[in-house]
Structures are given as C-alpha cells and as structure tokens.
C-alpha cells in the first residue's frame, strides 16, 4: 500500500490546512495509508549555514527534531503539503524545513506531491503559492498540482464546494496525471511568478532563468531561456550545485586568512542585545 505523508504547515489543530490535507487524502482513488506531520509539533531550528551536511554523510550538527521529520519524508511514497498564508507569504514552517534539507534531500527526490495554500482573503495570498512551489521544487518533488484555497475561519475550507472540488482534483492528481498549469507559466519550471527587469525582459522567480514576455499571439506567454545550469530543476543540476558548494567550501579554506582579516575589522561595531538567560520558550497555547 502506498504511504502518503501529509505535511501540515499550520499550528492550528483541525485548522484549514489539516482539513484540506485530510480531504485531499480522502479523494485519492488509489489504496493508500495517510500519515500526518504537523511541523509546529517539532522543534526544527534554523540552519546554521555551516555546510557540515555537505561533507559529513549529510549529517547536520544541529540537535533537534529535524531527523524525525526527514525520516518520515524519506519513508513516504508521496506528499500532500498544506501551508497557511501569513502576511502575504507561506508561514515560516516550510522554509525552516527546506533550509535544513540539504543533507537529506536526495532521499525524497522524485516523489509525487500536491500542495495547497490556504489564505483568509481572496487574492491576498501574496507569494505564498510561489513559496510552496519553491519548497516542492527544491526537494525535487514530482509536482502534480498546487492550488490556492480561500478560507479564513478554521473549518471554512471544507464547507465550500469549490474547495472540495480543489481537493478532489489534487487527490486524483497525486498518483495520476498532473493538473494543467493555469496562468501563463514558465516553460522551464512551471512557476507563474516573474520579475520584470525592463519593459520586455523578465526573470522567472523560481528557476531564475531570463526571458521575455510575448503577446504576439494575443495570449500572453513567457519565453524563458534555460541557462547552462539547472541547479534547482533536476537531480543532475542539484548534484552540480552541491559540488559547487563543496568547491566554495574549499575556496573558503584557501582564502580564510584574507576573509577573516576583512571581517575582524567589524568585530567591535555595535552592542549586541542577547536573550536573557533562564527564560524558557513559551509553550504554544491551544489553537
Ligand atoms: C498571523 C497571520 C497572518 C495572516 N496573513 C494572511 C495574509 O496575508 N493573507 C491572507 O489571505 N490570509 C492571512 N491569514 C489567514 C490565514 O491564512 C487563514 O486563516 C488560513 O485559513 C489559516 O489556515 P489554518 O486554519 O490551517 O491555520 C493570516 C493568518 C494569521 C494567523
């Protein structure tokens, strides 16, 4: 039986993210078992930027609950990821997880995944969809579909037919055909978010490739040129990227003295405000 892992970015119990994950899972036609991860239940700390994971069998020096989450992801066959919009972006849960994933991501490459963004106000999801796509792309998931669902109050997501239909589409797509991409999408990576560099030239905000906006056919299309690196697009690119980082680590060792000298001249600038000792982090209250 296929193992589906629901990754829930919201701390709210029985909130819209959780309900949508369960609703999507209920709509998967194939036989499966659903396991659930509420990211807020786990102590996942910030990546320290030490790159130890690049050289030490993927081992991360930070001691926290991250290995449990990584193990659950490695054991799953497919993912349903739901994240709430907070202040026009995905809440921090997915980013904390993604930033720590460098050492283990190869274990999850290629797994089918669907995603859903929850937002309380129509049109106010900001870059949350891009953030979720970014997470799924960078773990090199086989992205079968991402939808934005509007629901403010906990529970509201599953009382609207259009949200239930979105869940039905995503459930069917997880082990089936990918959903069609709606708005003009990047032909290289499938993202629909672009930055205008000038009047005609754009840059895709997911794969970073440059291109142009073409309106000649009457329907806008983005013509994006694949650059010679595909760092974040396919296993080969991800491996090249890791090698590039390892080379940078070597370069750092060679230039360490010069860099340290430059940095040390800033050492005494400013007064640091430090956390008070002995203050326990507050436990989150009931949702
Ligand atoms: C701190 C905070 C910030 C939010 N910011 C936005 C926002 O920028 N745009 C929006 O549409 N909804 C926003 N919302 C609403 C949530 O995205 C929405 O209620 C969602 O359904 C929550 O999912 P959950 O029930 O799984 O937590 C915010 C909610 C919170 C708690």
């Amino acid at each position: 039986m296929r193992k589906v892992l629901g990754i829930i970015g919201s701390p709210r119990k029985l909130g819209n993210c959780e309900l949508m994950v369960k609703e999507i899972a209920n709509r998967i036609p194939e036989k499966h078992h659903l396991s659930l991860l509420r990211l807020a239940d786990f102590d996942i700390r910030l990546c320290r930027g030490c790159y130890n994971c690049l050289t030490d069998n993927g081992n991360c020096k930070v001691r926290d609950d991250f290995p449990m989450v990584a193990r659950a992801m490695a054991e799953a066959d497919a993912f349903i990821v739901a994240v709430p919009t907070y202040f026009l972006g995905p809440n921090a849960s997915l980013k904390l997880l993604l930033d720590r994933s460098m050492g283990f991501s190869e274990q999850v490459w290629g797994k089918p995944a669907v995603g859903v963004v929850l937002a309380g106000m129509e049109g106010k999801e900001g870059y949350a969809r891009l953030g979720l796509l970014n997470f799924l792309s960078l773990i090199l998931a086989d992205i079968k579909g991402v939808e934005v669902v509007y629901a403010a109050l906990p529970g509201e997501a599953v009382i609207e037919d259009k949200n239930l239909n979105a869940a039905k589409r995503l459930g069917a797509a997880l082990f089936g055909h990918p959903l069609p991409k709606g708005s003009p999408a990047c032909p290289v990576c499938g993202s629909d978010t672009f930055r205008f560099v000038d009047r005609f030239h754009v840059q895709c905000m997911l794969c970073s490739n440059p291109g142009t906006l073409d309106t000649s056919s009457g329907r806008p299309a983005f013509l994006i040129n694949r650059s010679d690196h595909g760092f974040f697009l396919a296993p080969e690119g991800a491996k090249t990227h890791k090698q590039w980082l390892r080379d940078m680590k070597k370069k750092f060792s060679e230039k360490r003295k010069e860099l340290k000298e430059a940095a040390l001249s800033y050492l005494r600038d400013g007064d640091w405000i430090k956390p008070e000792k002995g203050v326990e982090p507050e436990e989150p209250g009931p949702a």
Side-chain angles (χ1 to χ4, degrees):
M1 188 166 351
R2 283 182 251 207
K3 289 181 266 182
V4 175
L5 179 65
I7 300 177
I8 294 157
S10 169
R12 270 186 186 172
K13 293 192 173 118
L14 277 183
N16 291 316
C17 289
E18 178 179 334
L19 296 173
M20 280 304 287
V21 164
K22 291 177 173 174
E23 182 61 28
I24 293 166
N26 288 340
R27 303 303 190 108
I28 298 172
E30 293 80 6
K31 246 184 144 198
H32 64 275
H33 174 265
L34 176 69
S35 302
L36 296 161
L37 263 182
R38 190 191 321 282
L39 292 175
D41 289 345
F42 295 84
D43 174 20
I44 303 174
R45 299 190 183 174
L46 287 171
C47 166
R48 306 301 295 256
C50 68
Y51 293 108
N52 193 63
C53 57
L54 285 176
T55 48
D56 185 14
N57 280 331
N59 276 334
C60 177
K61 283 188 167 175
V62 180
R63 294 286 160 258
D64 63 3
D65 296 337
F66 173 74
M68 285 186 240
V69 175
R71 202 177 320 121
M73 290 179 74
E75 283 169 6
D77 297 316
F79 306 123
I80 305 172
V81 184
V83 71
T85 304
Y86 282 5
F87 294 109
L88 301 177
N91 81 344
S93 61
L94 286 188
K95 193 69 170 78
L96 280 175
L97 177 56
L98 181 61
D99 290 355
R100 294 285 300 287
S101 71
M102 190 130 55
F104 97 105
S105 58
E106 284 173 43
Q107 297 171 51
V108 302
W109 285 353
K111 297 190 184 189
V114 292
V116 62
V117 169
L118 274 300
M121 287 171 282
E122 198 136 348
K124 294 289 184 213
E125 69 272 20
Y127 67 96
R129 187 176 186 279
L130 175 65
L132 176 53
L133 265 181
N134 181 64
F135 173 81
L136 294 173
S137 303
L138 294 200
I139 61 166
L140 294 185
D142 176 10
I143 304 170
K144 296 301 191 83
V146 170
E147 301 251 1
V148 179
V149 159
Y150 299 112
L153 309 173
E156 231 174 13
V158 287
I159 57 169
E160 295 262 351
D161 276 351
K162 65 176 175 195
N163 300 342
L164 298 175
N165 287 335
K168 192 176 173 188
R169 285 194 294 277
L170 292 170
L174 186 60
F175 295 115
H177 293 295
L179 296 181
K181 301 192 171 69
S183 43
C186 171
V188 175
C189 72
S191 157
D192 63 359
T193 310
F194 304 87
R195 169 179 291 147
F196 274 87
V197 180
D198 59 31
R199 213 169 137 206
F200 301 105
H201 294 92
V202 297
Q203 185 187 10
C204 172
M205 287 293 94
L206 187 53
C207 67
S208 313
N209 284 313
T212 50
L213 172 64
D214 177 27
T215 52
S216 58
S217 72
R219 294 182 63 198
F222 288 98
L223 309 176
I224 304 293
N225 308 310
R226 185 184 279 268
S227 53
D228 51 4
H229 76 77
F231 274 2
F232 304 119
L233 294 171
E236 269 325 301
K239 282 181 194 155
T240 313
H241 180 225
K242 275 195 185 174
Q243 191 49 49
W244 180 81
L245 289 171
R246 286 190 194 103
D247 293 346
M248 288 303 279
K249 218 176 160 176
K250 260 189 241 153
K251 193 172 166 189
F252 177 63
S253 306
E254 286 156 21
K255 292 186 77 172
R256 185 188 287 265
K257 202 166 162 270
E258 180 192 340
L259 293 171
K260 198 168 181 184
E261 248 167 54
L264 274 179
S265 62
Y266 296 85
L267 185 67
R268 310 256 165 250
D269 294 358
D271 291 322
W272 291 103
I273 298 165
K274 297 276 188 175
E276 283 173 38
K277 291 249 156 42
V279 178
E280 286 298 316
E282 203 181 307
E283 280 291 312

